[in-house]
């Protein structure tokens, strides 16, 4: 990953130290809109389910239309917590494409 600030925040989020984990998450939450592409890449590379959930939460909080396809792709994820944040992110985008993605997921039975 090219962005060193994002890398440092991710390293902090992997720390066994709760304060460092919170510090990394808080930094990315404050800047999620600027780093949404980097967070999506990190999500794809991450293997820890808890951290993946936090990363998806950050993407949702970014409220970036650029993340619409990524969020829609998570609607059929087997992990309920990932689906939750994908739904929440699309709801926060609140545009016609986001509503269409949610409708398609309901029709397909991926979400209620």
């Amino acid at each position: 990953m090219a962005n060193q600030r994002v890398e440092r925040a991710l390293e902090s989020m992997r720390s066994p130290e709760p304060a460092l984990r919170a510090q990394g998450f808080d930094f990315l939450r404050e800047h999620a809109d600027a780093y949404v592409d980097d967070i999506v890449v990190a999500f794809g590379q991450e293997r820890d389910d808890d951290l993946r959930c936090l990363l998806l939460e950050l993407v949702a909080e970014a409220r970036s239309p650029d993340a619409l396809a990524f969020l829609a792709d998570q609607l059929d994820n087997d992990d309920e917590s990932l689906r939750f944040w994908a739904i929440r992110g699309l709801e926060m985008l609140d545009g016609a494409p986001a509503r269409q993605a949610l409708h398609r997921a309901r029709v397909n039975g991926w979400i209620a």
Side-chain angles (χ1 to χ4, degrees), residues 8-109:
R8 283 195 304 269
L10 290 169
E11 286 175 29
S12 293
M13 289 175 67
R14 291 184 187 102
S15 172
E17 189 89 22
L20 283 176
R21 286 195 309 263
Q23 186 179 31
F25 181 80
D26 289 343
F27 171 80
L28 287 177
R29 184 177 50 206
E30 289 176 28
H31 304 286
D33 57 333
Y35 298 130
V36 70
D37 293 335
D38 294 312
I39 297 169
V40 168
V41 169
F43 177 92
Q45 297 172 346
E46 186 57 50
R47 297 297 156 232
D48 180 88
D49 289 338
D50 292 334
L51 189 52
R52 284 171 51 90
C53 187
L54 290 173
L55 293 171
L56 188 53
E57 179 180 349
L58 291 168
V59 172
E61 292 291 333
R63 297 179 179 165
S64 172
D66 295 339
L68 184 124
F70 170 74
L71 292 168
D73 286 346
Q74 298 307 312
L75 292 174
D76 71 340
N77 197 301
D78 291 337
D79 187 319
E80 185 177 339
S81 59
L82 294 178
R83 280 194 318 272
F84 170 84
W85 283 110
I87 293 166
R88 184 74 182 119
L90 290 167
E91 289 172 343
M92 287 190 289
L93 283 176
D94 192 36
R99 287 191 297 275
Q100 290 169 351
L102 289 167
H103 176 72
R104 273 192 307 276
R106 285 185 185 98
V107 168
N108 289 331

